[in-house]
Amino acid sequence: MTGEPSAALQVFDAEATRALLPAAALLDAVAEAMRARRAGRLTAPERCVIPLPEGGSYLVMPAADDRLAITKLVTVHPGHAARGLPTIQGQVVVADARDGRPLMLLDGPTLTARRTAAVTALGLRMLSTTPVRSVALLGTGAQALAHARVLVELSEVRALHVVGRTTAQADAFADRLAAELGGVELTVHAHLADALRTAQAVVTLTTSLCPVLPDELPAGLLVIGVGAFTPQMAELPPALLRSRRVVVDAIDGARHEAGDLIQAAIEWSGVTELVDHLDARSDSGAATVFKTVGHAAWDLAAAHVAQRMLASS
């Protein structure tokens, strides 16, 4: 069976994918996707997670609106870091929703890291009563690197405080950031308490199975939990979660995957989504935890940014 020849699928590696996802445009697109999801203007079913050997996972995340249809296919192997291998690998397949034409293949880890950092940046912007200029990053992996890049790109955060599993890891991470990024103050801390002393927010970016933050933190410190994405993982202690207002990026995914909240037996009726806070910066002054688990709708938002960048080039 033959038909009209179709245009070749455009394939983008990690660096090319990153160039197609500028931070400011990504932030706006994610906010729009949150509103569209709430209004029912896009479809993004619960992601399928299949267990793989050695604690790995295979994630299938589809989403579509009236313009684009995407499927993200990624593998996650937490043990790979110790072997010098990527923790996350995969692709995002993008098609025209109107006629099914394949449009592009984007690098999955890069897109995931960029859109995740954009969600964090949106939380920093909307959930703090004052602009956040100083952030502590707990972690030195790919997500921490993406967060540093996005936060500096947005020109809102002026100081990053880095805490790693070891001081050597944190030093190496900070050296890489210093060589790559300008316009931001970088400080490595051997102890978390020192990093939190002047930070206005802390972002946890680990795959820890046990809490990495203390039970009590200053009420004015915004806490954002990013790294834990399975029921078994938990970066945030139950006592801290129970003492704060809890906001999530997507409540349906958080119910099944946010190990921090599940293990703390959080009362879900009191949890809100970030979309509820997008119209105006928070003025409640309430101590807040923002927990993100990701959503295919945010991947779809990134695909729209990439398509617009291609169209304008």
Side-chain angles (χ1 to χ4, degrees):
M1 186 176 188
T2 61
E4 292 297 321
S6 59
L9 178 70
Q10 298 187 81
V11 179
F12 299 93
D13 64 12
E15 284 305 309
T17 297
R18 178 184 165 196
L20 289 174
L21 300 174
L26 198 51
L27 205 71
D28 291 342
V30 167
E32 175 54 31
M34 289 181 174
R35 294 187 176 100
R37 174 174 168 268
R38 173 64 60 84
R41 298 196 305 271
L42 62 79
T43 301
E46 183 179 332
R47 67 185 169 197
C48 174
V49 182
I50 301 171
L52 296 178
E54 300 183 19
S57 302
Y58 185 63
L59 285 70
V60 181
M61 302 172 66
D65 56 20
D66 60 354
R67 291 173 291 161
L68 294 180
I70 66 108
T71 302
K72 184 167 76 174
L73 307 166
V74 295
T75 58
V76 182
H77 284 86
H80 271 191
R83 303 174 188 173
L85 298 172
T87 299
I88 301 175
Q89 303 173 84
Q91 302 81 34
V92 178
V93 184
V94 184
D96 190 312
R98 295 160 295 187
D99 57 23
R101 285 180 303 116
L103 299 175
M104 67 185 96
L105 195 66
L106 299 167
D107 183 71
T110 301
L111 182 145
T112 300
R114 296 282 292 179
R115 62 85 155 143
T116 301
V119 172
T120 292
L122 200 57
L124 289 173
R125 184 179 290 179
M126 304 313 302
L127 297 176
S128 176
T129 56
T130 58
V132 175
R133 304 300 186 213
S134 176
V135 175
L137 299 179
L138 182 48
T140 57
Q143 277 288 3
L145 178 60
H147 274 68
R149 285 171 168 168
V150 167
L151 294 178
V152 172
E153 254 186 75
L154 292 169
S155 301
E156 296 179 3
V157 172
R158 296 167 184 163
L160 292 175
H161 301 270
V162 178
V163 182
R165 184 172 296 178
T166 67
T167 303
Q169 286 179 325
D171 283 335
F173 179 73
D175 288 344
R176 178 175 182 178
L177 292 183
E180 179 181 328
L181 306 176
V184 64
E185 176 188 336
L186 288 167
T187 307
V188 172
H189 298 274
H191 303 289
L192 176 63
D194 294 333
L196 300 183
R197 194 161 287 122
T198 57
Q200 295 169 274
V202 57
V203 185
T204 59
L205 299 149
T206 77
T207 54
S208 180
L209 297 177
C210 57
V212 294
L213 292 180
D215 289 344
E216 296 183 9
L217 288 170
L221 183 74
L222 175 61
V223 176
I224 301 183
V226 176
F229 61 93
T230 73
Q232 294 75 35
M233 296 176 181
E235 298 181 295
L236 311 178
L240 180 69
L241 288 163
R242 293 172 188 149
S243 68
R244 289 179 168 238
R245 173 182 69 167
V246 176
V247 180
V248 298
D249 60 337
I251 199 165
D252 48 354
R255 283 179 180 273
H256 296 99
E257 299 168 11
D260 319 80
L261 308 187
I262 294 168
Q263 293 179 37
I266 286 298
E267 178 52 59
W268 291 101
S269 63
V271 176
T272 59
E273 289 186 324
L274 184 59
V275 68
D276 299 314
H277 306 271
L278 290 182
D279 290 335
R281 181 182 291 276
S282 175
D283 60 2
S284 69
T288 302
V289 165
F290 178 38
K291 172 61 189 172
T292 75
V293 293
H295 198 280
W298 321 154
D299 300 320
L300 180 62
H304 277 292
V305 172
Q307 187 193 41
R308 288 194 290 270
M309 288 291 291
L310 282 175
S312 65
S313 61

